[in-house]
Amino acid sequence: MMQKEIKLPKIAEGVESATVTNILVSEGDAVEKAQSLIVVESDKASVEVPSEAAGKVSTIKVKENDEIKVGDVILVLESEEEEQSTEGAEEKEGEQPTEATIGKEVVKEKEEEPKKEKVSEEEKTEPKEGTERTAVKKEEKKGEVQPVAGGKVQPVAEKEKQPVIKPEEEEKAGEEDRVTKEQEIAAAPNVLRLARELGIQVNELKGSGPEGRILEEDVMAYAKEIIQGKGRRPVQEEPPLPDFSNWGEIEKVPLKGIRRATAKRTAVSWNTIPHVTHFDQAEISKIEELRANKNHLAEQQGGKLTVTAILLKIVAEALQEFPMLNASIDVNGQEIILKKYIHIGVAVDTERGLLVPVVRDVNKKNLINLSVELTELSEKARKGKLTVDEMKGGSFTISNVGGIGGTNFTQLIYHPQAAILGVAKAELKPIFIDGEFKPKLMLPLSLSYDHRLIDGADAARFLRWICDVIENPLNLLIDE
């Protein structure tokens, strides 16, 4: 039996590390080839890592919550497969080396040779040992003497060591450097302060004032260009945090996995997309009646007819009426990309953070099939079984927090999509109808949209269209 190291393979494009969330085997266990060994969670999905060979688990090299990189050893197997391949190699040992083999060995020997120091042209032309110039050169190399004019030499001190710069000193130096650079720029202090508050690098601006002086109008015009997608968005650096331990006990928890991915995505979304949110509400008594009457059809197939499932179908119909909300903007290419498919992501709250599985071709499926598929995807998300592909390709997103509570909320667009629908908790409200107040169950809705692509009037029409269908659901939602 030979030992075989099982390493973390590349689990998704662009993923170089992952967090171990579960270890599925123990030392001494016999495993089959392709049997799952551990579960890892990257910033894209949760994945089971299979064994490359059959054998017995000798040593487990990782533990839960470890952050491991692609190529790191997960565990060591005692495997017969490795032994067989090794035996085959031993049989070849007696064979005569071929020309190709000899070539490889020569290359290997050359690689193992220590690299020779390059000889400068000056050294090549140096006089031989024993001359006065050679003696000077030798002393110069030792750092004891240095040639000066007239052929004489004088002693010099050894090369001073580079000082060690502490992080706080480096940070202070960087801040002083930034202030110095700002002082060199022709702009008043109030203009510099405005640029800093907006996250704009003043050295990127062209001043319109006398002698190129930067004015407040220049800063505001540049900020407007960024919002309209014409200018380059500045990269804002996080200011350093204070030492919170000065005021009490603290605990530091690594930012990793889904939480780290969420932090990156939301920052990109907020810094890239000019968000606007429109609010509306819909009376849902007929939706609740539909759920009560048709839920058994979904349950027969293992699903559940929820408000989110119904909204999936309604939103798909709305996106066909308003295609700009199913688009993306390519600022660099100066194009609008209109998607002919309708794949809707649904935000799912899990113990590890927010995951967004995608229901594909929503417009081509009936309500019962959507209910079943959404139930399956939600369960996979909560159990950490979603694949990377099941979270890719969304063209619109729905986020329903009604089961938790709240009257309304604004939500971040899932970049590079154009919009996201937020759903809060339905509430019984007095609605004035035909001269009197009547109690109605109202569902708060919010639509966050990319103002570069979508005007406020179009966003209002889109959300009102959805509200109208909620208040008068069509039978074709079930039958088609």
Side-chain angles (χ1 to χ4, degrees):
M1 300 285 282
M2 295 294 292
Q3 290 192 332
K4 180 178 180 64
E5 292 182 340
I6 305 297
K7 300 178 181 180
L8 179 67
K10 190 160 188 173
I11 56 179
E13 188 66 31
V15 175
E16 298 299 330
S17 64
T19 304
V20 179
T21 58
N22 197 5
I23 299 175
L24 306 176
V25 295
S26 303
E27 292 183 358
D29 286 357
V31 298
E32 300 295 329
K33 189 172 183 179
Q35 178 180 334
S36 296
L37 301 175
I38 64 171
V39 181
V40 295
E41 183 181 274
S42 70
D43 57 0
K44 295 181 182 287
S46 183
V47 180
E48 292 184 1
V49 178
S51 177
E52 300 172 7
K56 183 180 179 181
V57 179
S58 173
T59 308
I60 296 177
K61 298 286 189 178
V62 297
K63 58 182 182 294
E64 289 188 8
N65 297 320
D66 277 359
E67 185 85 7
I68 58 177
K69 297 179 180 180
V70 174
D72 284 354
V73 178
I74 298 169
L75 53 78
V76 179
L77 281 183
E78 290 182 356
S79 173
E80 293 181 357
E81 294 181 18
E82 184 69 23
E83 184 179 19
Q84 290 170 0
S85 61
T86 306
E87 287 174 359
E90 289 174 354
E91 288 176 3
K92 294 179 181 180
E93 284 184 2
E95 296 177 5
Q96 292 296 325
T98 63
E99 184 177 346
T101 307
I102 294 171
K104 289 180 181 178
E105 291 174 353
V106 171
V107 171
K108 187 175 180 181
E109 287 176 3
K110 286 184 178 180
E111 289 176 351
E112 291 175 352
E113 284 181 7
K115 293 182 179 179
K116 295 182 179 178
E117 295 182 0
K118 292 183 179 179
V119 181
S120 66
E121 293 298 323
E122 186 181 358
E123 290 173 337
K124 287 180 182 178
T125 57
E126 282 185 6
K128 296 181 180 180
E129 294 287 339
T131 65
E132 183 180 348
R133 186 181 172 191
T134 305
V136 172
K137 276 288 179 182
K138 283 189 175 182
E139 295 301 320
E140 182 182 343
K141 289 177 185 177
K142 292 179 182 178
E144 296 174 358
V145 294
Q146 181 177 331
V148 293
K152 296 181 181 179
V153 297
Q154 68 178 24
V156 296
E158 291 186 4
K159 188 178 180 181
E160 294 181 0
K161 294 182 179 179
Q162 292 293 332
V164 178
I165 301 176
K166 297 180 181 179
E168 57 268 21
E169 292 175 353
E170 190 176 53
E171 181 182 318
K172 184 178 179 182
E175 178 65 17
E176 290 174 352
D177 184 56
R178 182 189 65 78
V179 173
T180 302
K181 287 180 180 179
E182 286 190 353
Q183 289 173 348
E184 295 173 356
I185 295 171
N190 63 314
V191 176
L192 295 174
R193 183 171 59 253
L194 175 63
R196 283 198 300 271
E197 289 173 352
L198 295 175
I200 294 174
Q201 301 293 331
V202 286
N203 56 3
E204 296 179 357
L205 302 182
K206 187 176 181 180
S208 60
E211 298 181 357
R213 192 172 185 82
I214 298 171
L215 308 176
E216 284 191 8
E217 291 83 351
D218 300 322
V219 177
M220 297 305 296
Y222 190 77
K224 186 177 179 181
E225 287 182 358
I226 292 171
I227 292 174
Q228 294 175 344
K230 298 176 183 178
R232 185 167 64 86
R233 190 87 180 195
V235 178
Q236 300 187 44
E237 294 183 359
E238 289 281 345
L241 295 177
D243 185 358
F244 297 108
S245 63
N246 289 331
W247 301 289
E249 184 180 352
I250 64 170
E251 179 186 0
K252 293 186 178 181
V253 179
L255 184 65
K256 55 188 179 181
I258 293 172
R259 179 51 53 197
R260 180 172 59 189
T262 302
K264 290 179 181 178
R265 283 198 305 264
T266 52
V268 168
S269 176
W270 185 251
N271 286 323
T272 304
I273 301 173
H275 285 63
V276 180
T277 305
H278 182 78
F279 300 92
D280 209 330
Q281 58 181 352
E283 196 268 311
I284 61 168
S285 60
K286 291 184 179 179
I287 288 291
E288 289 300 305
E289 183 180 346
L290 175 65
R291 289 179 59 203
N293 293 336
K294 303 297 183 180
N295 186 49
H296 68 281
L297 298 176
E299 289 181 340
Q300 288 174 2
Q301 299 184 40
K304 186 177 181 181
L305 187 56
T306 62
V307 171
T308 304
I310 296 172
L311 284 173
L312 269 173
K313 188 60 181 175
I314 295 175
V315 168
E317 298 293 330
L319 291 174
Q320 292 181 93
E321 295 290 327
F322 300 86
M324 197 63 73
L325 282 97
N326 198 49
S328 289
I329 185 169
D330 180 1
V331 176
N332 295 326
Q334 293 295 294
E335 293 177 333
I336 296 173
I337 302 169
L338 296 168
K339 298 155 193 171
K340 302 300 182 181
Y341 55 85
I342 296 179
H343 303 336
I344 300 179
V346 179
V348 179
D349 181 38
T350 74
E351 292 180 354
R352 292 174 299 280
L354 189 69
L355 294 175
V356 187
V358 175
V359 183
R360 303 185 186 281
D361 298 316
V362 180
N363 55 315
K364 299 177 181 179
K365 298 171 182 175
N366 65 40
L367 185 55
I368 300 303
N369 290 339
L370 289 173
S371 300
V372 174
E373 186 173 347
L374 179 59
T375 300
E376 292 173 350
L377 285 172
S378 299
E379 284 299 312
K380 289 181 74 173
R382 294 186 182 98
K383 293 178 180 179
K385 302 289 186 180
L386 283 175
T387 65
V388 175
D389 289 339
E390 287 173 326
M391 294 193 292
K392 281 184 176 180
S395 56
F396 189 92
T397 300
I398 297 174
S399 178
N400 189 344
V401 297
I404 301 172
T407 57
N408 226 319
F409 69 106
T410 60
Q411 55 283 339
L412 289 180
I413 299 166
Y414 202 82
H415 181 271
Q417 297 172 16
I420 178 173
L421 179 68
V423 187
K425 185 179 181 180
E427 184 180 359
L428 199 63
K429 292 184 178 181
I431 305 298
F432 194 72
I433 303 174
D434 298 331
E436 61 179 341
F437 285 98
K438 296 181 180 179
K440 295 291 182 180
L441 189 61
M442 306 301 293
L443 182 69
L445 299 172
S446 54
L447 178 74
S448 289
Y449 57 93
D450 188 337
H451 208 356
R452 297 172 300 177
L453 274 176
I454 303 158
D455 294 330
D458 290 330
R461 292 187 190 99
F462 175 80
L463 195 53
R464 181 47 18 205
W465 193 97
I466 290 174
C467 291
D468 288 342
V469 177
I470 290 174
E471 293 171 353
N472 298 281
L474 306 176
N475 289 331
L476 61 85
L477 294 177
I478 292 290
D479 301 330
E480 70 176 358

